[in-house]
């Protein structure tokens, strides 16, 4: 199996795309630490996924340096190593540019961009030390969005944060390439999760998405998980610094 014996951290792993990634990683042979701010959902996810392999939950706010430190330390304590990080935790806020307030802008940037930085740096520092001691290299996968390039006027902070995630991916990849650590991102289109329901609650919005998506349907979380599994695996051994769009053909 592609991820046999690997140890992965999946942030925002309690539901949606993160949960699907955790499921796929377990099916591919990895052990998984789910990291999420939602403890109840995290416990339910562990219960659901346990039959597939070794899975644990760490109560983590990715925007807190202390929580992130505890997440990495807790994963090493539980599983003995970290080979893969998926920076998937994210939030969205809907407001036009002229109405968006400072607190909401900060909140979205803190979770989506700073959270990816904090987790990425903490895991990369551990990986670099391990590699210097003769250990194996690892892979980091960030969760961007097509909004990183198209930019939605009603989701200013979100679009900015995801543009930042794609650029963070590029610079992390350049910094970590000398160690053999690969860093890539996924840019999903519209994927069937609670986040999509929150943002596009009415029928007209759903129709708008479908009319802009050449494949004529929204994506399944498992279709993003398949991309994450590929990027995390040795099959992607010559790919780093890229954002791979999985969007049903939506980007030109
Ligand atoms: P979701 O809302 O279903 O799940 C997000 C998860 O992140 C939740 O379990 C939530 O508790 C967790 N989370 C939120 N804030 C956190 C924090 N501070 N620390 C730790 N965990 C936190 O969302 P979904 O759709 O599964 O999104 C996952 C990722 O995919 C996000 O980064 C999102 O921006 C991205 N994405 C989603 C798309 C979609 O259409 N659903 C499209 C493009 C990107």
């Amino acid at each position: 199996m592609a991820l046999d014996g690997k140890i992965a951290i999946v942030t925002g792993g309690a539901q949606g795309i993160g949960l699907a990634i955790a499921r796929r990683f377990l099916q591919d042979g990895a052990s998984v630490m789910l990291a999420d701010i939602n403890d109840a959902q995290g416990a339910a996810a562990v219960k659901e996924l346990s039959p597939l392999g070794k899975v644990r939950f760490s109560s983590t706010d990715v925007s807190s340096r202390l929580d992130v430190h505890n997440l990495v330390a807790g994963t090493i304590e539980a599983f003995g190593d970290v080979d893969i990080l998926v920076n998937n935790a994210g939030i969205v806020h809907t407001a036009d540019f002229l109405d968006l307030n400072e607190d909401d802008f900060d909140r979205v940037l803190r979770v989506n961009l700073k959270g990816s930085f904090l987790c990425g740096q903490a895991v990369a520092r551990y990986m670099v030390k391990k590699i210097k001691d003769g250990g194996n290299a690892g892979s980091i996968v960030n969760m961007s969005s097509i909004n990183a390039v198209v930019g939605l006027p009603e989701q200013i902070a979100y679009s900015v944060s995801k543009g930042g995630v794609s650029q963070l991916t590029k610079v992390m990849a350049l910094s970590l390439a000398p160690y053999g650590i690969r860093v890539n991102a996924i840019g999903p289109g519209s994927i069937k999760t609670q986040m999509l329901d929150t943002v596009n609650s009415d029928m007209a919005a759903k129709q708008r998405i479908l009319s802009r998506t050449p494949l004529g349907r929204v994506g399944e979380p498992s279709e993003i998980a398949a991309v994450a599994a590929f990027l995390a695996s040795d099959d992607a051994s010559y790919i780093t610094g890229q954002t791979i769009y999985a969007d049903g053909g939506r980007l030109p």
Side-chain angles (χ1 to χ4, degrees):
M1 288 187 288
L3 301 178
D4 230 355
K6 301 283 188 198
I7 291 146
I9 294 173
V10 181
T11 72
Q15 67 178 41
I17 293 172
L19 178 63
I21 291 172
R23 184 181 297 114
R24 175 64 190 255
F25 279 14
L26 286 162
Q27 287 165 342
D28 285 358
S31 301
V32 178
M33 179 64 84
L34 302 171
D36 206 289
I37 206 167
N38 186 336
D39 292 358
Q41 198 67 32
V46 168
K47 201 167 168 200
E48 181 192 330
L49 298 178
S50 281
L52 298 174
K54 285 188 208 152
V55 55
R56 301 278 284 271
F57 175 72
S58 167
S59 181
T60 306
D61 176 352
V62 293
S63 66
S64 152
R65 175 175 289 279
L66 178 63
D67 279 14
V68 170
H69 170 83
N70 291 338
L71 166 64
V72 177
T75 306
I76 295 163
E77 196 181 313
F79 296 124
D81 202 355
V82 184
D83 301 295
I84 298 163
L85 166 68
V86 183
N87 271 321
N88 164 80
I91 56 174
V92 68
H93 178 77
T94 302
D96 283 323
F97 179 60
L98 295 176
D99 300 326
L100 179 63
N101 72 49
E102 187 180 341
D103 285 349
D104 289 326
F105 183 85
D106 283 348
R107 194 166 51 85
V108 173
L109 269 287
R110 213 166 42 236
V111 176
N112 297 5
L113 184 55
K114 185 180 153 188
S116 299
F117 161 68
L118 288 177
C119 294
Q121 189 185 56
V123 167
R125 282 178 172 167
Y126 166 75
M127 286 178 173
V128 166
K129 187 173 176 306
K130 178 176 66 159
I131 291 158
K132 283 182 174 165
D133 292 343
N136 61 311
S139 173
I140 297 174
V141 179
N142 296 327
M143 200 55 71
S144 185
S145 163
I146 54 167
N147 286 349
V149 282
V150 287
L152 280 184
E154 68 273 25
Q155 288 166 21
I156 293 287
Y158 184 79
S159 301
V160 169
S161 75
K162 293 301 184 180
V165 167
S166 282
Q167 188 61 7
L168 179 70
T169 302
K170 196 82 211 168
V171 290
M172 280 173 71
L174 293 174
S175 297
L176 299 173
Y179 304 98
I181 300 168
R182 296 181 301 100
V183 187
N184 292 290
I186 305 173
S190 298
I191 310 299
K192 207 184 290 169
T193 67
Q194 195 170 305
M195 181 183 280
L196 189 68
D197 281 346
T198 312
V199 176
N200 300 289
S201 46
D202 60 283
M203 237 9 238
K206 289 193 169 102
Q207 281 307 327
R208 238 185 350 262
I209 288 174
L210 294 185
S211 71
R212 289 182 193 147
T213 307
L215 282 183
R217 62 177 178 85
V218 297
E220 295 292 333
S222 62
E223 294 177 292
I224 302 304
V227 184
F230 167 67
L231 289 174
S233 79
D234 291 343
D235 286 342
S237 54
Y238 203 50
I239 302 177
T240 195
Q242 298 302 309
T243 298
I244 309 288
Y245 294 98
D247 63 355
R250 196 145 146 206
L251 284 186

